[in-house]
Amino acid sequence: MSRYTDRRRDIVRMQWIKSQQCSVSLDLVVLELAGPCEGVIEADHGGGAGMGRKPDDSNCLALCVRHHRLPGLEHLLYSKVEHGFVRHWKKEQGEVY
């Protein structure tokens, strides 16, 4: 049994996340550090759940394949969550949640 089975899932939200643009492309400073977007969009389950625990689907950002696999980028992006980056991204994408 997977250690992720007891976390809350939201399939509709995951489909919506994967239809958005890479969240790195909305932050020019991060984009300059991380390089251009590449590949399909994936849902990044980062931040907030603690070591070895995957957060539920309500705490995701849209990232292209390149940025999803770039070491250290997750920490940089989720530190910006505290400063309103995700709120801005959701507003720009027209999220209705």
Side-chain angles (χ1 to χ4, degrees):
M1 179 180 260
S2 170
R3 63 183 171 181
Y4 302 135
T5 56
D6 60 345
R7 68 185 176 92
R8 191 170 62 106
R9 301 302 316 257
D10 187 341
I11 303 303
V12 173
R13 180 173 170 73
M14 290 296 93
Q15 290 171 338
W16 181 84
I17 289 282
K18 293 175 184 180
S19 73
Q20 304 304 305
Q21 71 185 54
C22 180
S23 55
V24 170
S25 67
L26 297 172
D27 188 309
L28 296 179
V29 173
V30 177
L31 187 59
E32 180 73 24
L33 294 170
C37 295
E38 233 175 69
V40 299
I41 298 297
E42 301 175 332
D44 179 71
H45 290 83
M51 184 175 263
R53 297 187 61 201
K54 193 174 194 176
D56 65 38
D57 292 344
S58 67
N59 189 24
C60 290
L61 290 176
L63 292 178
C64 68
V65 170
R66 175 190 174 126
H67 294 137
H68 196 195
R69 287 161 180 67
L70 197 61
L73 184 63
E74 178 181 304
H75 175 71
L76 178 61
L77 285 176
Y78 282 93
S79 68
K80 288 181 167 278
V81 168
E82 298 169 8
H83 298 16
F85 175 74
V86 170
R87 280 193 309 270
H88 172 74
W89 179 79
K90 287 179 178 180
K91 181 179 176 187
E92 290 292 313
Q93 299 306 313
E95 183 172 354
V96 294
Y97 287 92

